[in-house]
Amino acid sequence: SFLPAQEEFSTLPTVVVSGLIQPDLDMMEDRSDSLYEQGWVLDVSKVERDTKRKVERCGGLGYIDMKVALYGIPQSGTLRLFLPFESASNHHDVHEHGGENNDDLLAQHWMDDVILCEANEKRSEDACQLDKDLAIVLGGKPVHKITPINGAGVYLNRKTCVHVSIPPMATMTKLSDLTKVDGSALTPTEQARWQPKATQQQPNNNNNNNNREVIGLVVDLHPKERVTRKQGACCVSHIIWEQH
């Protein structure tokens, strides 16, 4: 679905580890170039913001949402995401590779696909294209196969979604080992965002599922040098991961 995420815990920033600058600004306020140079920015396109301003003068006209997304240019640096393996019962405890060796943490043993989408908005041909202008690293390994998706992934003749193939040697990361791009560790409060709700609400629960350590796939995104804000920054509005 490309419907807007209305709930706080269903929005893309909840999987961001580092690289996102979050100023105390209303979404109706313009983001400056200097802000983009500090990190990726939660923003909307100029057309989207201008449209919202116009309809608000007329009471909104039922225009209840904006296409909010994460935007970045080369100067924004690397955006790091953590995609948790979400399962009530982790059948990988009896994985055929067994134990906690490196083979057992190979990402392809846990996840099948990752899909990135930009916002459904009118963009110029020179704007950042996810399959060409975004350097992507999954599980510590550079991605060399990024394929545009046709059909539902096309908006105004622009391919807005890409399939990102998981490299063969990409690995999963334990939440306790997760770090920011600069190598610094996460605080307990930051780690808590990925802890199962049952664990947060019932710390004395003896359920083995709640006591398992969270693992996930680290995703690093960095715009390539040709990308500019004027032509169109790299935009990520949705990320989908399929696990098995």
Side-chain angles (χ1 to χ4, degrees), residues 8-9 11-18 20 22 80 82 84 86 175 178 180 186-197 200 214:
E8 177 185 355
F9 295 105
T11 58
L12 195 54
T14 60
V15 296
V16 173
V17 178
S18 64
L20 175 65
Q22 299 197 67
R80 173 162 292 182
F82 184 67
E86 300 171 329
L175 180 57
L178 182 61
K180 300 177 183 179
L186 273 63
T187 66
T189 299
E190 290 171 328
Q191 286 190 357
R193 285 194 286 129
W194 287 281
Q195 293 289 355
K197 291 183 180 180
Q200 298 179 37
V214 175

Side-chain angles (χ1 to χ4, degrees), residues 76-182:
S76 304
T78 299
L79 179 72
R80 173 162 292 182
L81 311 175
F82 184 67
L83 313 182
F85 181 87
E86 300 171 329
S87 176
S89 59
N90 189 343
H91 67 277
H92 285 271
D93 283 351
V94 291
H95 196 281
E96 61 179 353
H97 291 276
E100 292 190 0
N101 52 45
N102 290 335
D103 283 347
D104 193 49
L105 289 177
L106 287 175
Q108 289 186 348
H109 295 165
W110 299 78
M111 294 189 178
D112 292 318
D113 297 291
V114 174
I115 293 174
L116 295 177
C117 295
E118 63 182 24
N120 284 357
E121 61 188 24
K122 187 175 182 180
R123 309 195 82 199
S124 75
E125 293 183 1
D126 294 327
C128 171
Q129 298 182 47
L130 298 181
D131 62 321
K132 299 176 181 178
D133 302 317
L134 191 64
I136 304 175
V137 176
L138 296 184
K141 299 298 179 183
V143 174
H144 300 293
K145 187 178 180 181
I146 305 172
T147 309
I149 297 175
N150 294 311
V154 177
Y155 180 76
L156 296 179
N157 295 319
R158 180 179 170 90
K159 295 178 180 178
T160 59
C161 295
V162 294
H163 173 269
V164 183
S165 297
I166 297 177
M169 299 307 294
T171 58
M172 304 291 277
T173 297
K174 296 178 182 179
L175 180 57
S176 59
D177 295 330
L178 182 61
T179 62
K180 300 177 183 179
V181 173
D182 63 7

Side-chain angles (χ1 to χ4, degrees), residues 23 25-33 35-36 41-50 53 229:
L25 294 175
D26 184 271
M27 284 309 300
M28 292 300 295
E29 295 184 56
D30 294 321
R31 272 56 174 163
S32 66
D33 290 340
L35 195 63
Y36 269 73
V41 179
L42 192 64
D43 201 358
V44 297
S45 69
K46 183 179 185 303
V47 172
E48 192 79 5
R49 185 174 281 114
D50 288 347
R53 286 169 175 164
R229 188 181 181 192

